[in-house]
Amino acid sequence: MKPHRKAGWIAGLMPAMALAACTSATPPAAMPAPPANPPANMQYLYGSGEAGAVSIQAFRALLNYAGEQVKARPVDSVVLAQGASLDAPAFAPCGQKPFAAIFDVDETLVLNLGFEYFDARTGQGFNDAIWDQWEKTGAGQVSPVPGAVYAVDALRSMGVTVIFNTNRAAANADATAQAIANAGLGKAVHGETLFLKGDDATGSKKDGRRWTIAGKYCVIALGGDQLGDFSDLFNQIASVPERRQAAIRGMAAKMWGNGWFALPNPVYGSGLKGGFEEVFPAGKRWDPPAATDGK
Amino acid sequence: MKPHRKAGWIAGLMPAMALAACTSATPPAAMPAPPANPPANMQYLYGSGEAGAVSIQAFRALLNYAGEQVKARPVDSVVLAQGASLDAPAFAPCGQKPFAAIFDVDETLVLNLGFEYFDARTGQGFNDAIWDQWEKTGAGQVSPVPGAVYAVDALRSMGVTVIFNTNRAAANADATAQAIANAGLGKAVHGETLFLKGDDATGSKKDGRRWTIAGKYCVIALGGDQLGDFSDLFNQIASVPERRQAAIRGMAAKMWGNGWFALPNPVYGSGLKGGFEEVFPAGKRWDPPAATDGK
């Protein structure tokens, strides 16, 4: 549809900012008042039927695809093999290994409502120490992504092992398993069906963990909200437009909805980068005619 | 993945706002400088590989579904019939009518890069007069949504008529057909394959136009970024959480990826509403333990 009734960033943000900045010549001692509403990206992801629809649709596509793979065992898994590139892809072999689907957790299967509520109200931006507290104490303040519980249950009914591969910390494995359980997603066992940052020496990279899993399972589907949930290779591309092109052309374009299943997340992550020149291609920038003739 | 390196709204917005508000006791005569970067929701939709992936996946699901419907003609279309409700759904019949798929245009098939570039830089918020100028003069500054050109071409190859149902103005029909053509989406003929606001007396409501189309065609798929692209009934629900529930439960939950296909749009529209109490359900709000014990 066409846009309507958007509040501009000036109208929406000037009053609180002006107040915070001008009532004193020194920096304000207290935090400014929280904004009147959550930002648009959170209204969308956590509050809209539209985002819920996109999520349910992604899980339905995943289940349709997984059902076909289980009926006719594929030769290859959907995990890019060690040494493969985006231009010369190769996939880890399936053999006769049992079936698995690998999912990221945060904003893929679980909505971090509690953390984002705090974040939006305080406006502090992301902070490792607070996120660590969230991992440790927030297991009660999550909800499942729409469609996730149905999908995970249906996969298990088909004989597909559901494996969680997240960048939450290995030190918080028990609390993360509890968050997964509280969201209605069942049992996660560290080292078996739960893989975490710190399980190997590659930090937040996930390829190593995927290769470990693909050594034991025929991985028929990957689900995630970030390109790094599918391959670390995307995050080696520094240019914002080149990274987007790598995801929507060539090999990757053939994988979306066809082994790789992407969930929406406009709230945070490695996709939220880029200045005006990177996000809006040359030749696609516009000014109203009235504004350019001096009016 | 877990959040990282997000800029908070305070850190991101304070400098420009403080400058604009404090350099003079009177309101500043000129617009404040544009923000350093586009907002996160535009970085996501227009700049990220992640959003491109979600879009391609939606179009692949639509094509898979349409291919099955063409092979085995359905009894019913996917257009809710006149008089139906979300609780008691009924669909317009297919009979032996030719196949069609109905798509919204803006942020469903076409990315309005030029308009959003202007909007983000000026921060004025949505304005009917400027949007009208955009409809009239912006046909060269659009791009297709990733996957849209492939999907539209493939549907036509299957014998499915592609019909555009948009809330752009009937008075701007020619310029809108040009924008559609420039995006690589082929020919749109007003009254035949292009339906616009002003074609009937119901304004921006789309059900009437859908019923007109379903009178001539067996509509096997709907594509849109807003719930109103599927049924006007959703927009009669004033409560933000009730509207979301209506989209992710009951009849609607069965339609996503199964006749109804949702494209991501966190930038504008009827899903971007709600205060903290509406977006974050009671019982899902959290504070770090350290912050609640007085630290």
Side-chain angles (χ1 to χ4, degrees), chain A residues 1-10 13-14 17-18 20-22 31-38 40-54 56-58 60 104 106 111 113-126 128 130-131 133-135 137-138 140-143 146 167 197 206 225-227 229 240 243-244 247-248 253-258 260-277 279-281 283-290, chain B residues 1-10 13-14 17-18 20-22 31-38 40-50 52-54 56-58 60 104 106 111 113-126 128 130-131 133-135 137-138 140-143 146 167 197 206 225-227 229 240 243-244 247-248 253-258 260-277 279-281 283-290:
Chain A
M1 71 175 278
K2 88 176 215 195
H4 64 281
R5 283 180 291 283
K6 271 195 299 181
W9 55 263
I10 294 174
L13 294 162
M14 185 72 95
M17 292 291 110
C22 298
M31 295 291 293
N37 293 312
N41 51 2
M42 291 192 196
Q43 288 178 317
Y44 180 77
L45 187 61
Y46 303 121
S48 80
E50 281 83 352
V54 171
I56 288 172
Q57 172 176 294
R60 173 166 282 121
D104 172 53
D106 297 308
L111 297 177
L113 295 169
F115 178 82
E116 298 298 338
Y117 174 79
F118 171 78
D119 186 50
R121 285 179 60 88
T122 60
Q124 294 178 3
F126 183 74
D128 275 327
I130 292 179
W131 179 261
Q133 289 191 301
W134 168 248
E135 288 189 7
T137 69
Q141 282 80 46
V142 297
S143 286
N167 279 334
K197 185 167 71 173
K206 290 185 166 181
D225 64 314
Q226 307 285 326
L227 295 183
D229 295 326
V240 167
R243 183 176 179 277
R244 179 166 163 103
I248 68 174
K254 300 185 181 120
M255 296 302 294
W256 304 119
N258 194 33
W260 293 2
F261 298 86
L263 279 296
N265 182 5
V267 172
Y268 64 80
S270 47
L272 274 59
K273 284 183 185 160
F276 284 96
E277 313 299 299
V279 171
F280 296 96
K284 301 295 179 188
R285 301 168 194 154
W286 176 86
D287 279 298
Chain B
M1 72 176 278
K2 88 175 213 193
H4 64 279
R5 283 179 292 282
K6 271 196 299 179
W9 54 266
I10 295 175
L13 295 160
M14 185 71 95
M17 292 292 110
C22 299
M31 295 290 293
N37 292 313
N41 51 2
M42 291 193 196
Q43 289 177 317
Y44 179 77
L45 186 61
Y46 303 121
S48 80
E50 281 82 353
V54 172
I56 289 172
Q57 171 177 293
R60 173 164 282 122
D104 173 53
D106 297 308
L111 297 177
L113 294 169
F115 177 83
E116 298 297 339
Y117 174 78
F118 171 79
D119 186 50
R121 285 179 61 87
T122 61
Q124 295 177 2
F126 183 73
D128 275 326
I130 292 180
W131 179 260
Q133 289 191 301
W134 168 248
E135 289 189 7
T137 70
Q141 282 79 47
V142 297
S143 286
N167 279 334
K197 184 168 72 174
K206 291 186 165 180
D225 64 313
Q226 306 285 326
L227 295 183
D229 295 326
V240 168
R243 184 176 179 277
R244 178 167 163 102
I248 67 175
K254 299 185 181 119
M255 296 303 294
W256 305 119
N258 194 34
W260 292 3
F261 297 87
L263 279 297
N265 182 5
V267 172
Y268 64 80
S270 47
L272 275 59
K273 285 183 185 160
F276 284 95
E277 312 299 299
V279 172
F280 297 97
K284 301 295 179 187
R285 302 170 194 151
W286 175 85
D287 279 296

Side-chain angles (χ1 to χ4, degrees), chain B residues 24-288:
Chain B
S24 163
T26 56
M31 295 290 293
N37 292 313
N41 51 2
M42 291 193 196
Q43 289 177 317
Y44 179 77
L45 186 61
Y46 303 121
S48 80
E50 281 82 353
V54 172
S55 299
I56 289 172
Q57 171 177 293
F59 285 115
R60 173 164 282 122
L62 188 151
L63 281 180
N64 288 345
Y65 180 85
E68 291 171 12
Q69 302 305 301
V70 167
K71 271 188 273 180
R73 171 178 286 272
V75 172
D76 286 336
S77 82
V78 294
V79 172
L80 278 176
Q82 230 165 331
S85 70
L86 296 174
D87 291 329
F91 293 89
C94 267
Q96 291 302 312
K97 289 175 276 195
F99 295 118
I102 306 177
F103 291 92
D104 173 53
V105 174
D106 297 308
E107 274 58 42
T108 293
L109 297 176
V110 160
L111 297 177
N112 288 289
L113 294 169
F115 177 83
E116 298 297 339
Y117 174 78
F118 171 79
D119 186 50
R121 285 179 61 87
T122 61
Q124 295 177 2
F126 183 73
N127 171 317
D128 275 326
I130 292 180
W131 179 260
D132 186 63
Q133 289 191 301
W134 168 248
E135 289 189 7
K136 287 181 162 71
T137 70
Q141 282 79 47
V142 297
S143 286
V145 172
V149 170
Y150 182 88
V152 162
D153 287 348
L155 286 168
R156 289 178 178 138
S157 300
M158 289 180 198
V160 178
T161 299
V162 172
I163 299 184
F164 307 93
N165 184 13
T166 165
N167 279 334
R168 290 186 178 217
N172 297 332
D174 289 352
T176 290
Q178 189 62 54
I180 289 168
N182 287 355
L185 299 161
K187 197 172 174 184
V189 179
H190 189 191
E192 296 180 17
T193 53
L194 176 60
F195 291 77
L196 297 148
K197 184 168 72 174
D199 285 350
D200 65 22
T202 65
S204 61
K205 290 183 178 173
K206 291 186 165 180
D207 278 344
R209 288 177 249 155
R210 274 188 285 268
W211 294 329
T212 297
I213 298 163
K216 288 180 61 179
Y217 291 94
C218 169
V219 179
I220 57 174
L222 300 177
D225 64 313
Q226 306 285 326
L227 295 183
D229 295 326
F230 305 94
S231 168
D232 291 333
L233 294 169
F234 293 110
N235 289 331
Q236 296 174 8
I237 305 169
S239 152
V240 168
E242 286 175 18
R243 184 176 179 277
R244 178 167 163 102
Q245 289 302 310
I248 67 175
R249 302 277 179 242
M251 183 275 294
K254 299 185 181 119
M255 296 303 294
W256 305 119
N258 194 34
W260 292 3
F261 297 87
L263 279 297
N265 182 5
V267 172
Y268 64 80
S270 47
L272 275 59
K273 285 183 185 160
F276 284 95
E277 312 299 299
E278 296 165 301
V279 172
F280 297 97
K284 301 295 179 187
R285 302 170 194 151
W286 175 85
D287 279 296

Side-chain angles (χ1 to χ4, degrees), chain A residues 129-200:
Chain A
I130 292 179
W131 179 261
D132 185 63
Q133 289 191 301
W134 168 248
E135 288 189 7
K136 288 181 162 70
T137 69
Q141 282 80 46
V142 297
S143 286
V145 172
V149 170
Y150 182 87
V152 161
D153 287 348
L155 286 168
R156 289 178 178 138
S157 300
M158 289 180 198
V160 178
T161 300
V162 172
I163 299 183
F164 307 93
N165 184 13
T166 166
N167 279 334
R168 290 186 178 216
N172 297 332
D174 289 352
T176 290
Q178 188 62 53
I180 289 168
N182 287 354
L185 299 161
K187 196 171 174 185
V189 179
H190 189 191
E192 296 180 16
T193 53
L194 175 61
F195 291 77
L196 297 148
K197 185 167 71 173
D199 284 350
D200 64 23

